[in-house]
Amino acid sequence: MSIPTEVPNWANSAAAADVATPPAATQAAGWPAGLKPPHEWVNWFWQLVSQWLTYIAAGGHPGTATWIDEAYAAVGDGELIWVWHPNAGQGGSQYDAINLGAAAVDMDVDGVHVYYLTSTAGYRRDRRGGGSTVTYTPSDTGTLRSIASDGQLVVLAYGDVVEAFSIDGTSLWTYDHGAAVNDVAIYKPGGASQPQVFLCGAADGTGHSAKSLEGDDGTLVWEYNHGGTLQAIAAGANRCFIAGAASSHGSGATLRALRAFNGADAANEGGTLADTLAMAWDVVQATAQATPHTLATDGLRLVCGYPSTATFEIDVRGVGDGLVGVERTLAQSVRGVAIDQGLILAAIETGAGDGYVAALEFGTLATLWRTVTHTGSVPTAVASDGQGVFYSTGTTTSLHWCSRGPNKPELFLRVDYDEATYGIDGLPMTGAIVPAGNL
């Protein structure tokens, strides 16, 4: 069947008295048998149909794209586009796998690229096709532990150092924390003029184990004395979340929310200041519960993963109070977590040197799908860009790319990097193009 050459034009020049909107109940129920609808109602319906068809025929509807990166290139900031790959399988079905030649210890993703960290350097690859395009070579020595990107800045944590690079691989600045750095995150708090880099790790010479740095030059914004070594950091909702060893201060906290703008905590334990806006909180884990070693946030919820052999667990907390909304005890260790719209993605180690990635439903933490089990190789990191799920496996040194499901078109919105413009906070992708359902 060929495309029609005419678009119906109905009642677009009708007098206002000849067009009337039917009651909502009538619209919902439709015409009952025997009813003769008023001509004003008929004109309303066909006028609306005519106007929509004219709009669509003129190209006024959101376009379509097969992949996220194609969608990003096809639209401007603030514009919508449908994204769907017709051959996409259900959640967990694999698109591709690339041999990296070395195990990835951490990863991040945006709409165009995948960033991953090995024992020697950070790398950027196209999110599909896999070609390695940029290498982020550390300027100093030390064990590489974490990588983060917001689509404009790439940050590595290694040894005692945090180093920031431009997207093209140029080193911009380094910061020596004075003790081991375990994790980094990038976020632009409300009121800040630019994104900030957040780091956590062992305490430096003055007892500070969490810090915030200016993204453009690495200048120290604030520093925080948790009272113990920190393992994980995440940022969103104008908060900086930190997790690690029980604090030696009075609270004994293992999980905290600090005010991202100035590092304020709930009771001024860290020597910065107490938060007067009720944005900070502390959590003391139960004696039998492990300390969370991996965190993820979408600005509404905080997901904590517990890898200890004492308690394998995932829980979801409110960012405003730290209270657990739902939790699930697992039989295997949680090596990494990520958030993708209504999904929590968890990298799971089975305990026998095997592992897989599972997608859990936010409200119940029920398993929706899981990848194949990778025999003899444990997933070491997981990330998502809203269309595909990326994860690495250690022993086989592979980067895997699979469908997030469901196999249906989804609407995305291209955004700029100023989160305040669209009110976006901690989405799965921190730059570029995001699922419109989050807005």
Side-chain angles (χ1 to χ4, degrees):
M1 178 179 177
S2 60
I3 299 175
T5 58
E6 292 183 86
V7 175
N9 179 11
W10 189 272
N12 287 307
S13 60
D18 290 325
V19 180
T21 303
T26 301
Q27 294 182 43
W31 309 130
L35 173 68
K36 180 180 179 181
H39 77 280
E40 298 93 342
W41 293 4
V42 175
N43 282 339
W44 167 85
F45 178 82
W46 287 111
Q47 182 191 75
L48 195 59
V49 170
S50 170
Q51 291 172 351
W52 269 107
L53 291 174
T54 301
Y55 174 77
I56 293 171
H61 62 296
T64 60
T66 303
W67 299 110
I68 290 282
D69 50 337
E70 293 175 349
Y72 177 76
V75 295
D77 289 342
E79 295 181 347
L80 293 163
I81 187 167
W82 289 101
V83 181
W84 181 54
H85 193 293
N87 296 326
Q90 296 303 310
S93 58
Q94 184 164 286
Y95 289 128
D96 198 6
I98 303 166
N99 190 334
L100 303 179
V105 297
D106 195 22
M107 65 190 309
D108 204 354
V109 65
D110 65 21
V112 182
H113 302 111
V114 178
Y115 305 86
Y116 65 93
L117 191 67
T118 71
S119 61
T120 57
Y123 299 90
R124 187 189 81 185
R125 289 178 180 264
D126 295 338
R127 67 178 293 280
R128 58 188 177 91
S132 185
T133 55
V134 176
T135 300
Y136 305 100
T137 304
S139 301
D140 206 337
T141 59
T143 301
L144 280 82
R145 300 186 181 94
S146 181
I147 187 170
S149 176
D150 66 352
Q152 292 182 314
L153 195 68
V154 178
V155 178
L156 306 186
Y158 59 92
D160 297 355
V161 175
V162 171
E163 184 167 2
F165 297 83
S166 65
I167 290 296
D168 64 6
T170 302
S171 178
L172 302 176
W173 52 261
T174 60
Y175 179 86
D176 190 339
H177 170 57
V181 180
N182 291 328
D183 199 11
V184 288
I186 304 175
Y187 176 66
K188 182 181 177 183
S193 61
Q194 59 179 300
Q196 294 177 8
V197 175
F198 300 88
L199 69 90
C200 75
D204 65 9
T206 55
H208 299 101
S209 51
K211 297 178 180 179
S212 173
L213 312 173
E214 294 286 9
D216 62 346
D217 60 9
T219 301
L220 181 67
V221 178
W222 54 258
E223 53 191 356
Y224 183 79
N225 182 339
H226 167 68
T229 297
L230 293 168
Q231 299 293 338
I233 195 164
N238 284 319
R239 294 170 174 85
C240 173
F241 306 98
I242 52 177
S247 173
S248 61
H249 301 315
S251 70
T254 55
L255 176 65
R256 299 181 190 266
L258 309 178
R259 193 177 181 197
F261 188 76
N262 59 11
D265 69 4
N268 198 17
E269 277 198 334
T272 304
L273 66 160
D275 180 64
T276 58
L277 300 178
M279 294 185 66
W281 43 260
D282 297 330
V283 171
V284 180
Q285 302 299 125
T287 302
Q289 192 175 36
T291 298
H293 277 208
T294 181
L295 301 174
T297 185
D298 63 356
L300 298 174
R301 297 149 294 197
L302 177 69
V303 177
C304 305
Y306 301 81
S308 168
T309 54
T311 304
F312 301 139
E313 184 177 293
I314 289 180
D315 64 41
V316 182
R317 299 172 182 269
V319 297
D321 54 18
L323 298 179
V324 175
V326 60
E327 59 187 343
R328 178 180 174 186
T329 300
L330 304 170
Q332 296 95 16
S333 175
V334 182
R335 297 289 298 271
V337 292
I339 298 176
D340 179 350
Q341 305 176 71
L343 300 180
I344 295 173
L345 303 166
I348 304 294
E349 179 181 359
T350 65
D354 306 332
Y356 59 90
V357 169
L360 312 178
E361 194 273 327
F362 246 120
T364 65
L365 294 183
T367 301
L368 299 177
W369 55 258
R370 51 173 286 181
T371 65
V372 297
T373 296
H374 297 276
T375 303
S377 193
V378 177
T380 52
V382 61
S384 174
D385 64 5
Q387 183 188 21
V389 174
F390 300 83
Y391 64 98
S392 59
T393 48
T395 305
T396 58
T397 66
S398 294
L399 174 66
H400 299 266
W401 175 30
C402 68
S403 169
R404 67 169 295 277
N407 186 19
K408 66 180 183 181
E410 294 187 274
L411 195 60
F412 282 73
L413 173 74
R414 174 164 166 170
V415 301
D416 64 16
Y417 291 96
D418 179 4
E419 294 184 358
T421 301
Y422 296 101
I424 296 164
D425 193 355
L427 289 168
M429 295 170 49
T430 49
I433 189 162
V434 298
N438 284 281
L439 306 180

